[in-house]
Amino acid sequence: MILHELLGYDVLRVIWWLLLGVLLVCFAVTDGFDLGAAALLRVTGKTDVERRVVINTIGPIWEGNQVWLILGGGAIFAAWPQLYAISFSGFYMAMFAALVCLILRPVAFKFRSKREGTAWRNGWDWVLCLCGWGPALVFGVAMGNVLMGVPFRLADDMRIYYDGSFFALFSPFAVLCGLVSLSMLLMHGAAWLVFKTEGDVQARATRWGMGAAILTTVLYAVAGVWLAKLSGYTLTEAMSTTGPSNPLLKSAQLGQGAWMANYAKQPLLWIVPALGVCMPLLAALGMKLRREWLGLLSSGLAIAGIVLSVGVSMFPFILPSSVNPQFSLMVWDASSSHLTLFIMLVCALIFLPLILAYTSWVYSIMRGKVDPDEIEQGKGHAY
């Protein structure tokens, strides 16, 4: 109880905002390379054995990577219930499409090699490719819509109304964000294949990875310039950071270039988007020079910079409303109670180290290159 009293409501709100960012980055970095590798399956593997090599680089670990998606969704549900309600209902069809891809992916892993037929295996290979492309695009498009504002409103009794439609999600800026997401995951998947394979598969992954890395830098820079010209959200008067979770109690408005205000106040924050611009180029260099660790680490840092730059730009907003800025959800007015956030923090401090230890152990066990000869000879439990 002493710790509970020391950690004020405002402190816990910021801690959980930071933890949510960490969970999203962990998901994007870990599950990102297996989505990217699957999306590149048809172009990096030309023969059945080569495609099995690609699949076996991610087959043993993809399930563990999705733990971060579950943790992120659970954190949003428990720490920011209004954010969960609006985003998962407003983006329902888009999220459903991503969920279908995430469901079909394990089916493809398990069923692909059950039969020897070429048509059978080619069909499941296409399923794996599409299930890599789909979530990458959907998550990026969703992030673009968050930056532009989501068409929701709140009634006086806090009931939520969503006024948008499925096709309205695909505005030019949102599609650009989707392409940024896709290119960065293709880069990361290629860096993983360079790290885990040899020979022709590695050479093809290098070419595709370098192209995706350069494209990521270009698209991200264009999106940043575009974002600077968009209308962002800003408070018109100071608000309590320890007040009740009621978005209707604040006063906010649109402002030209408001999403850049945090960088003007704290220039050190430019380090975050700088990672998104520079690290893809370093990843491309690492892949070209066969510095495998450098390529993979740089692509992971690039993803972290790109994802975190969204949160840095928006803080303290977490879900702006395009209907009325006052309805926007913020770190200070959309969280769960003080006690709930404290209990969740205690649980996180117990279980996150266990998850990290288990994950590290699994990656240690699965270290090393995937050998095509062992796969062809049917040794072990290859996919």
Side-chain angles (χ1 to χ4, degrees), residues 41 69 102 169 190 210 246 274 329 347:
L41 176 62
L69 175 62
L102 295 176
L169 297 175
M210 290 176 61
N246 185 347
L329 306 184
C347 293

Side-chain angles (χ1 to χ4, degrees), residues 170-336:
F170 298 95
S171 64
F173 179 76
V175 171
L176 175 59
C177 291
L179 294 177
V180 172
S181 174
L182 176 61
S183 63
M184 77 176 187
L185 294 192
L186 290 176
M187 168 193 67
H188 198 43
W192 175 254
L193 292 178
V194 171
F195 183 74
K196 291 290 289 184
T197 65
E198 295 177 322
D200 291 338
V201 173
Q202 187 186 58
R204 296 188 197 108
T206 298
R207 291 194 296 270
W208 280 91
M210 290 176 61
I214 295 171
L215 186 61
T216 298
T217 291
V218 173
L219 292 177
Y220 180 61
V222 172
V225 173
W226 194 336
L227 182 65
K229 297 181 180 299
L230 286 178
S231 294
Y233 292 73
T234 182
L235 288 171
T236 57
E237 59 183 38
M239 64 176 296
S240 172
T241 59
T242 58
S245 290
N246 185 347
L248 300 180
L249 298 180
K250 68 173 174 297
S251 179
Q253 66 179 10
L254 286 171
Q256 187 70 28
W259 285 150
M260 298 292 114
N262 286 337
Y263 299 106
K265 295 175 183 176
Q266 298 290 337
L268 192 62
L269 294 176
W270 281 108
I271 293 175
V272 179
L275 290 175
V277 173
C278 299
M279 286 298 107
L281 299 178
L282 188 58
L285 181 62
M287 286 184 272
K288 180 178 177 60
L289 298 177
R290 291 293 194 275
R291 298 292 189 267
E292 299 165 0
W293 268 108
L294 177 63
L296 186 59
L297 179 61
S298 299
S299 66
L301 288 173
I303 290 176
I306 291 171
V307 173
L308 292 177
S309 66
V310 176
V312 170
S313 297
M314 292 177 56
F315 183 85
F317 289 85
I318 54 176
L319 191 66
S321 169
S322 59
V323 176
N324 185 339
Q326 184 184 1
F327 299 147
S328 301
L329 306 184
M330 300 179 62
V331 171
W332 315 123
D333 64 11
S335 71
S336 294

Side-chain angles (χ1 to χ4, degrees), residues 23 64 67-68 71 348 350-361:
L23 294 176
V67 166
W68 299 107
L71 287 175
I350 294 172
F351 290 105
L352 273 180
L354 295 177
I355 294 171
L356 290 171
Y358 167 77
T359 302
S360 300
W361 176 77

